[in-house]
Amino acid sequence: MENPTPEQVAQALAELVQDALMRGESVEIPGLGTFYVNHRGSTTERLPDGRVVLHPPCDLPAFTPEAS
Amino acid sequence: MPEALINRLAERLGCSPEAAATALRQFVEQLHQQLEQEGQANVAGLGRFIRTEQGLQFEPDTSLAQAVNHRFAGLEPVTVEPPATQPYRKTEVVPPEEEPAEKASPFYEVTGEQEAEPVSPEAVAQEPEPAAEEHHPEPAPEPEPVVDTPQPAPQPDEPPLRPPRPPRIRVEEDRRRGLPVWIPAALLIVVFGVVAVWLLFFSQPSPREAVPPAPVRAETEQSPAPETTVTATATPAVTDTVSAATEAPPAETSAPVPPPTDNYALIVGSVTSQRAAEQLAARFRRTLSEHGLPVTIVTVTSNGITRYRVAVGRYSSPEEALAAKRQLGEVLPPDAWVLRLPSTMQ
């Protein structure tokens, strides 16, 4: 496969980024930007009626565009 | 251009790194073109790029977000009620369902009063009884085995019905155990205090009674020595006592004459003037007339001072004199003491 189609490239790129982010690594794509993992710790939110909501920690995919 | 990314991309695409690099460059250029034309571009499996004034925004695809969040997958936000609306009960802390047979046994004796509350054990116990009563009239020869069978049946049913109560009862037991520690301690302290007060007040008379003999004996030992010298040297003192004895006869005649061996007397007063001593003696003769005790005046001169002592009674020993003093406590003054009279005065 010498000349991959853009759809193939997009799929390969998505898989690659997902694998890297699942390992906790950041991926820099030249001309586009950097994908990285944004970790948020658990938080508590106090509602106005007195109840408290406990938010679990989470890892979010994040993106920073390349400075042009 | 990072080589690691190109190599991995080439590995996935199954082509040379150069072809992968050009393909990636073409893809990025296409993406930018799409963004400029439509303002946003969607990449399947990755997310959506949106062009805004602040720059390029990225919205991750749900599949990508879930894959990245695999460490915390399945965690949901939890809403907790405020503590005030959720009353704290100790019974909920200890799960009573665990090990019902072992936990129920220690509390059988305690829960004895509460047996009436759960209706189910009684219902269970009552159910077999009618069956037993029905069996009674019909078969005459075999009532005993039928009666015996329903009795053991309710017993195994009871333990599982009890367990929900133990935690609360355990708390009450702790309170009961805690109380008696304080009450006996307080009672002991009160009892000790009462005993101490009682000893303080009721033990005082006995020392007062026990103490006098010491000074009395000291005096009895002291007095004879000077008095023998006094009687030997000062003859006027003897004449005085003789005169006192001559004055005394009216009382002495009425009173029984004491035996000559008694040479201990109770001294009720000691004055320096003879007239005062006579008045004192007359007063005691009046008060002691019913007791029939001799009242005499004993003259003693020591250190150049003549003392007239009013002596009551004649006793053979100081103990006897003290016993008499105790008997005549209300008549004699409290400071009366025992004196051994010189033998010449007998």
Side-chain angles (χ1 to χ4, degrees):
Chain A
M1 198 190 284
E2 284 303 311
N3 293 313
T5 59
E7 287 77 21
Q8 285 174 329
V9 172
Q11 191 186 346
L13 195 66
E15 287 171 11
L16 200 146
V17 168
Q18 183 173 321
D19 283 0
L21 292 184
M22 281 177 77
R23 286 195 300 269
E25 299 168 1
S26 60
V27 181
E28 185 191 349
I29 293 169
L32 194 63
T34 307
F35 292 94
Y36 62 98
V37 177
N38 182 17
H39 177 77
R40 280 193 211 157
S42 65
T43 55
T44 56
E45 181 192 358
R46 195 169 288 274
L47 298 179
D49 60 353
R51 291 183 300 167
V52 177
V53 182
L54 304 175
H55 293 282
C58 61
D59 283 339
L60 294 173
F63 173 75
T64 306
E66 190 177 72
S68 53
Chain B
M1 187 163 285
E3 286 183 8
L5 176 71
I6 301 301
N7 287 337
R8 267 186 273 168
L9 195 62
E11 207 176 300
R12 282 186 182 275
L13 289 170
C15 64
S16 63
E18 292 79 17
T22 49
L24 181 63
R25 205 176 298 127
Q26 283 175 1
F27 170 75
V28 171
E29 279 175 12
Q30 271 190 359
L31 201 68
H32 277 297
Q33 278 182 4
Q34 198 182 349
L35 281 169
E36 282 194 11
Q37 288 170 4
E38 304 175 13
Q40 64 176 31
N42 201 359
V43 180
L46 197 63
R48 198 157 54 130
F49 294 94
I50 304 159
R51 199 179 172 190
T52 60
E53 292 179 359
Q54 288 84 26
L56 202 59
Q57 298 278 314
F58 173 67
E59 282 183 6
D61 200 80
T62 49
S63 63
L64 179 68
Q66 281 180 0
V68 170
N69 197 35
H70 69 283
R71 291 196 296 161
F72 309 105
L75 294 179
E76 300 279 331
V78 179
T79 307
V80 182
E81 294 292 319
T85 58
Q86 196 178 20
Y88 174 75
R89 277 179 293 175
K90 208 167 186 178
T91 50
E92 291 178 358
V93 177
V94 183
E97 266 71 30
E98 292 176 3
E99 303 169 3
E102 289 181 15
K103 281 194 173 182
S105 54
F107 300 101
Y108 270 155
E109 297 150 12
V110 185
T111 52
E113 307 144 10
Q114 296 168 347
E115 269 186 79
E117 287 184 31
V119 192
S120 37
E122 287 186 353
V124 172
Q126 281 174 353
E127 279 173 24
E129 281 174 13
E133 286 171 4
E134 286 172 8
H135 280 286
H136 263 293
E138 291 166 2
E142 45 179 3
E144 288 99 10
V146 180
V147 174
D148 288 342
T149 44
Q151 281 177 351
Q155 283 175 353
D157 289 346
E158 281 174 26
L161 292 166
R162 297 275 170 76
R165 296 191 172 273
R168 202 179 296 162
I169 290 150
R170 192 181 296 164
V171 173
E172 287 174 4
E173 253 189 357
D174 286 345
R175 280 182 199 153
R176 277 179 211 158
R177 271 183 215 147
L179 271 176
V181 176
W182 287 99
I183 290 171
L187 281 173
L188 269 176
I189 289 166
V190 168
V191 165
F192 275 121
V194 167
V195 168
V197 168
W198 185 81
L199 281 173
L200 205 88
F201 282 100
F202 288 81
S203 61
Q204 273 183 349
S206 58
R208 195 183 284 170
E209 286 179 356
V211 167
V216 164
R217 279 188 188 169
E219 212 165 346
T220 49
E221 284 169 10
Q222 283 176 358
S223 49
E227 267 175 343
T228 44
T229 54
V230 163
T231 45
T233 52
T235 44
V238 178
T239 54
D240 276 338
T241 55
V242 169
S243 66
T246 50
E247 282 176 2
E252 277 191 19
T253 47
S254 64
V257 181
T261 54
D262 298 343
N263 53 354
Y264 288 93
L266 284 168
I267 305 300
V268 293
S270 176
V271 290
T272 48
S273 83
Q274 195 177 357
R275 182 177 289 180
E278 281 167 8
Q279 285 175 356
L280 201 64
R283 210 181 74 204
F284 276 103
R285 266 183 210 114
R286 246 178 285 123
T287 54
L288 292 170
S289 57
E290 62 216 25
H291 295 284
L293 287 169
V295 179
T296 53
I297 294 172
V298 181
T299 311
V300 175
T301 306
S302 60
N303 299 331
I305 301 166
T306 306
R307 295 190 171 276
Y308 302 93
R309 289 172 173 168
V310 180
V312 173
R314 288 290 185 276
Y315 306 99
S316 57
S317 69
E319 289 80 16
E320 204 179 318
L322 276 175
K325 183 204 167 191
R326 236 167 272 139
Q327 276 183 352
L328 304 168
E330 65 273 7
V331 184
L332 299 178
D335 54 348
W337 71 91
V338 177
L339 181 68
R340 187 186 177 199
L341 301 177
S343 55
T344 54
M345 298 208 175
Q346 298 304 315

